Amino acid sequence: MSLNKVTDLEIEIFSKCNRKCNWCPNSVIDRLSSNTYMSEEVYLKFLHDINKEISNKEKLKISYSRYNEPLLDVELLKKRINQAKDIIPNIITECNTNGDVLIKKGKETLKDLNLDILSIMDYDCKGIEHGKELFAKCEITNITNISITKSSAVDVYIQNVNHTNKLFGTHKNIPLIKYIANWPKNQEIQYRGGVLYDYENKKNKNIISNYGNKGKKLNFIKPIPKSTRRGLLSDNTFSYERKEPCSYPSRGIYVDYDGSVTPCCNIRNDVDAHKEFILGNINETPIKDIFNSEKATKFRETLASWDYKNYPSPCKFCLARCNFGTKPNKPIKNEFLKNLSKEKTTK
């Protein structure tokens, strides 16, 4: 199978995260006490292989966020982003951050950080006003209520997405910066490939926030209501079992810091229950061969089908809304990425 349908790349250039959020598998897996780096040679080979194998790069995006905190080594992040843009000139680069480094170091963090999209998560529930203060400290221009920006792609995007609990900004290096306020209060969390699932009682675990909104129960993605044949609710119970296809394994390539390639963002190399689902390792095998292997192909085909009884164990109770249809903001985001890529081409 060609890699041309792949639009999302996700890669860890190192392993460390400075937090142990209860809603993340890092709460039970140590990513804090040490830091393991992906070698430059492996990273560059991966990018060259992607550039060779994917001809349609119109919406190709690489995220430097998996289960690490990318800004902990911001100088390396800057270097890796520049390398990606040298090899794949129009690629969209993005990452998420818990904001701790920005709070501590301010504008110096963003100097020469040539990202296209940066999302700042307010895990401590400091709110919108804190976001405005952080924007000022980092010399980020608040564009939340501005109708015209330097980027027409960004302009169209911020006019068409939900602004609730969000600020939008821009920086001389970064076209779009999003600040998501009060994250633990408002975000529906995922069950992360079963790490946050209670298999004995067949329901999500009771996850209590240990940062912002401390002591309060976090909300998971809502399960699908059970229905009658006519589509009416039969009672107030819910089905936690996934019964619809998932597009993540077909449109994305996800690489851990050690080179392990996983089928989706919720599966990782350091979870024992996930190890049998690792598709290969880019230290040993070219990404094209991993993606087209019998194991990877079977995983994609199973998740693309409605044969939910045979979905792999990390997927059986995953309610992530990632089917082959569209989410409310999906067309808006796709158009934004396409337009941003065009703007980069014309510069």
Side-chain angles (χ1 to χ4, degrees):
M1 176 180 174
S2 167
L3 271 64
N4 273 329
K5 291 186 178 180
V6 172
T7 57
D8 298 341
L9 307 175
E10 192 174 276
I11 193 164
E12 286 178 330
I13 56 175
F14 55 83
S15 64
K16 189 169 185 174
C17 183
N18 63 314
R19 291 199 179 208
K20 294 179 75 70
C21 304
N22 281 353
W23 55 85
C24 174
N26 288 353
S27 60
V28 294
I29 295 167
D30 183 16
R31 286 289 192 97
L32 184 61
S33 63
S34 63
N35 197 7
T36 303
Y37 285 81
M38 175 179 285
S39 77
E40 182 174 57
E41 179 183 1
V42 168
Y43 173 76
L44 293 177
K45 184 179 186 306
F46 172 75
L47 290 177
H48 281 294
D49 286 349
I50 289 293
N51 189 47
K52 177 182 176 182
E53 300 298 337
I54 300 180
S55 58
N56 180 13
K57 303 178 181 70
E58 188 176 62
K59 294 182 292 184
L60 186 61
K61 170 173 63 71
I62 184 168
S63 171
Y64 293 90
S65 304
R66 275 183 61 72
Y67 295 93
N68 61 339
E69 169 48 51
L71 298 188
L72 286 180
D73 192 338
V74 71
E75 295 307 316
L76 180 68
L77 179 62
K78 293 172 184 177
K79 182 179 181 180
R80 293 290 181 258
I81 290 169
N82 289 338
Q83 289 170 326
K85 293 190 174 192
D86 285 343
I87 295 169
I88 312 173
N90 298 328
I91 195 166
I92 304 296
T93 58
E94 71 170 1
C95 80
N96 301 338
T97 177
N98 57 36
D100 291 350
V101 175
L102 288 171
I103 292 169
K104 184 178 179 180
K105 297 184 178 180
K107 63 182 181 182
E108 288 303 312
T109 308
L110 301 185
K111 184 180 179 182
D112 300 322
L113 180 61
N114 294 314
L115 277 169
D116 293 297
I117 307 168
L118 175 65
S119 297
I120 307 167
M121 309 302 183
D122 175 25
Y123 290 148
D124 294 321
C125 293
K126 292 181 177 180
I128 288 290
E129 290 306 312
H130 171 261
K132 292 177 181 178
E133 293 170 4
L134 185 59
F135 273 22
K137 182 175 183 177
C138 296
E139 297 184 349
I140 299 168
T141 302
N142 189 340
I143 58 172
T144 306
N145 299 313
I146 296 175
S147 60
I148 299 175
T149 71
K150 293 179 181 179
S151 165
S152 60
V154 171
D155 185 35
V156 171
Y157 177 79
I158 65 174
Q159 289 183 59
N160 286 280
V161 294
N162 189 341
H163 283 216
T164 305
N165 298 306
K166 296 184 184 75
L167 289 176
F168 297 94
T170 189
H171 186 270
K172 61 182 179 181
N173 301 324
I174 308 170
L176 179 63
I177 299 175
K178 296 183 284 185
Y179 174 86
I180 295 87
N182 303 314
W183 194 96
K185 288 183 180 179
N186 302 308
Q187 185 70 23
E188 291 183 331
I189 63 174
Q190 299 189 36
Y191 97 136
R192 293 301 182 188
V195 177
L196 304 182
Y197 190 77
D198 181 350
Y199 284 95
E200 184 177 347
N201 294 304
K202 295 185 178 179
K203 64 179 183 179
N204 292 318
K205 292 178 180 178
N206 189 34
I207 305 296
I208 305 299
S209 179
N210 60 330
Y211 285 106
N213 210 27
K214 283 184 180 180
K216 301 294 184 179
K217 184 178 179 180
L218 292 158
N219 296 316
F220 279 83
I221 292 176
K222 291 179 177 62
I224 303 165
K226 290 182 178 179
S227 304
T228 66
R229 288 184 179 180
R230 294 182 180 180
L232 303 175
L233 293 180
S234 56
D235 52 35
N236 291 324
T237 61
F238 295 91
S239 171
Y240 285 86
E241 189 174 14
R242 184 175 191 88
K243 294 185 178 181
E244 62 177 26
C246 176
S247 64
Y248 280 177
S250 296
R251 60 181 169 86
I253 293 174
Y254 313 88
V255 187
D256 285 331
Y257 63 89
D258 70 341
S260 296
V261 178
T262 74
C264 95
C265 58
N266 290 311
I267 297 176
R268 47 190 279 181
N269 71 304
D270 49 7
V271 173
D272 287 342
H274 292 174
K275 290 188 183 300
E276 66 177 290
F277 303 103
I278 301 301
L279 304 177
N281 193 298
I282 59 172
N283 284 286
E284 304 160 357
T285 310
I287 189 60
K288 178 184 178 181
D289 294 341
I290 295 173
F291 192 81
N292 289 315
S293 67
E294 181 180 352
K295 186 175 185 179
T297 301
K298 183 178 180 181
F299 197 104
R300 286 195 303 275
E301 289 175 348
T302 302
L303 265 295
S305 76
W306 290 88
D307 185 18
Y308 65 89
K309 292 187 180 298
N310 287 315
Y311 286 169
S313 57
C315 312
K316 280 188 177 295
F317 302 97
C318 177
L319 300 178
R321 299 182 182 104
C322 48
N323 60 24
F324 286 86
T326 58
K327 296 188 288 186
N329 280 339
K330 189 69 176 177
I332 297 171
K333 186 173 183 182
N334 282 344
E335 191 67 17
F336 166 62
L337 294 175
K338 184 170 69 174
N339 291 338
L340 190 59
S341 179
K342 287 180 179 177
E343 284 186 359
K344 289 155 66 73
T345 304
T346 57
K347 286 183 179 179

